[in-house]
Amino acid sequence: MLIKNESELVGIKKISEVVAITLKKMCEYAKVGMSTKELDDFGAEILKSYGAKSAPYATYKFPGWACISIDKEFCHGIPSNKRILREGELINIDVSAELGGYYSDNGCSFVVGEDIHNHQPLVNASKEILKIAIEHIKEGVRIADIGEMIEKESKKRGYKVIKNLAGHGVGRRLHEPPHEILNYKNRLNFDKFKKNSVVAIETFISTHSTIAETLSDGWTMVGNKGGYMTQHEHTIVVTDGAPLILTTGNGVWD
């Protein structure tokens, strides 16, 4: 989406605030012993209170309000009464929604309870790399160069990136051009970030895998070589200077 007037900016800001608040509250609510369905129901009530709709459901008929992925599930995990959160597990919550014809997207990975499996360094790496990437985005910067930066920063910390997951444009739909804001340098991609465009920037930082594969449920993705992955995501507006981060209320960098 390219923002053309003040009313469009107001619209995208409003839904971005809603998804950010929902994500933050869901992260705070998640506790050991809780099912992922209970957590999803909690998030659903927050979105409903603002009149917002689940973007994954509205767009793809995803069987849940938010994607909640646990442990070695990388993304698109389906909320379930049978999946109970355990001490020290890695969890990713991805909240995207629609309100008034505008869409926004954000996500966060964190450790449930005490970090008994030492996942926190991976979580921290994803947060830090997202911040570095966003700080370098402005009008005219090549999308591939940001991908290269994400991969280099990941390697510095001893990690890998997932190469078939990507950030994307967002605004009037959940997924819009540019569709491939990758975590590595695609040398065939000469596209540049455009001023006033709305994009969701995501990190996909992993311990072992470089490709995410879909399980038999048709949604949940895991690594081709196992291990763990963390994802953090903000929706931003590109400017000719520092980007406008629309989802700061999610507390990812708090």
Side-chain angles (χ1 to χ4, degrees), residues 116-218:
I116 58 177
H117 303 300
N118 196 34
H119 290 311
Q120 196 61 45
L122 181 63
V123 171
N124 292 343
S126 181
K127 289 183 181 184
E128 292 164 6
I129 295 168
L130 179 65
K131 194 171 194 296
I132 291 168
I134 287 177
E135 286 175 346
H136 284 82
I137 294 173
K138 64 179 180 179
E139 179 186 24
V141 171
R142 281 186 60 183
I143 291 173
D145 289 346
I146 296 300
E148 181 179 33
M149 181 181 299
I150 290 172
E151 185 171 33
K152 282 184 176 179
E153 291 294 332
S154 181
K155 286 181 177 179
K156 280 183 189 178
R157 293 162 173 79
Y159 298 119
K160 305 177 186 296
V161 298
I162 301 301
K163 298 195 171 185
N164 63 328
L165 296 175
H168 51 90
V170 66
R172 286 297 189 175
R173 297 186 302 278
L174 177 56
H175 294 109
E176 299 180 350
H179 292 292
E180 291 199 342
I181 305 177
L182 297 164
N183 280 195
Y184 71 98
K185 185 169 186 175
N186 177 2
R187 299 184 184 278
L188 299 179
N189 185 357
F190 299 98
D191 292 343
K192 298 178 180 180
F193 287 100
K194 297 177 180 178
K195 185 177 179 179
N196 296 327
S197 63
V198 184
V199 292
I201 306 298
E202 308 182 57
T203 49
F204 303 98
I205 313 302
S206 71
T207 57
H208 294 78
S209 295
T210 56
I211 299 294
E213 300 176 336
T214 306
L215 296 180
S216 59
D217 64 16

Side-chain angles (χ1 to χ4, degrees), residues 8-237:
E8 290 184 337
L9 180 59
V10 169
I12 196 66
K13 278 185 173 181
K14 187 172 183 180
I15 182 56
S16 295
E17 289 170 2
V18 169
V19 297
I21 289 168
T22 303
L23 178 60
K24 182 177 177 63
K25 289 185 176 181
M26 289 180 73
C27 292
E28 294 170 346
Y29 187 71
K31 297 291 185 294
V32 173
M34 177 184 296
S35 74
T36 56
K37 179 64 165 57
E38 183 180 349
L39 181 57
D40 189 56
D41 288 344
F42 175 77
E45 290 307 310
I46 299 171
L47 290 176
K48 289 176 185 177
S49 73
Y50 288 100
K53 299 176 182 177
S54 165
Y57 177 78
T59 306
Y60 303 111
K61 300 301 180 186
F62 176 76
W65 279 75
C67 299
I68 304 176
S69 309
I70 308 296
D71 207 36
K72 294 188 177 182
E73 299 172 350
F74 281 14
C75 60
H76 305 160
I78 301 171
S80 170
N81 285 316
K82 297 179 180 179
R83 190 61 173 92
I84 306 301
L85 301 183
R86 300 184 180 91
E87 191 79 43
E89 283 190 316
L90 191 60
I91 180 173
N92 175 263
I93 304 174
D94 194 313
V95 178
S96 55
E98 179 273 336
L99 178 65
Y102 295 95
Y103 290 76
S104 189
D105 195 358
N106 66 166
C108 180
S109 295
F110 60 99
V111 177
V112 180
E114 186 180 349
D115 185 26
I116 58 177
H117 303 300
N118 196 34
H119 290 311
Q120 196 61 45
L122 181 63
V123 171
N124 292 343
S126 181
K127 289 183 181 184
E128 292 164 6
I129 295 168
L130 179 65
K131 194 171 194 296
I132 291 168
I134 287 177
E135 286 175 346
H136 284 82
I137 294 173
K138 64 179 180 179
E139 179 186 24
V141 171
R142 281 186 60 183
I143 291 173
D145 289 346
I146 296 300
E148 181 179 33
M149 181 181 299
I150 290 172
E151 185 171 33
K152 282 184 176 179
E153 291 294 332
S154 181
K155 286 181 177 179
K156 280 183 189 178
R157 293 162 173 79
Y159 298 119
K160 305 177 186 296
V161 298
I162 301 301
K163 298 195 171 185
N164 63 328
L165 296 175
H168 51 90
V170 66
R172 286 297 189 175
R173 297 186 302 278
L174 177 56
H175 294 109
E176 299 180 350
H179 292 292
E180 291 199 342
I181 305 177
L182 297 164
N183 280 195
Y184 71 98
K185 185 169 186 175
N186 177 2
R187 299 184 184 278
L188 299 179
N189 185 357
F190 299 98
D191 292 343
K192 298 178 180 180
F193 287 100
K194 297 177 180 178
K195 185 177 179 179
N196 296 327
S197 63
V198 184
V199 292
I201 306 298
E202 308 182 57
T203 49
F204 303 98
I205 313 302
S206 71
T207 57
H208 294 78
S209 295
T210 56
I211 299 294
E213 300 176 336
T214 306
L215 296 180
S216 59
D217 64 16
W219 294 103
T220 310
M221 302 189 83
V222 299
N224 64 327
K225 295 183 179 179
Y228 300 90
M229 186 199 82
T230 50
Q231 177 256 19
H232 290 87
E233 176 183 17
H234 272 305
T235 291
I236 70 171
V237 178

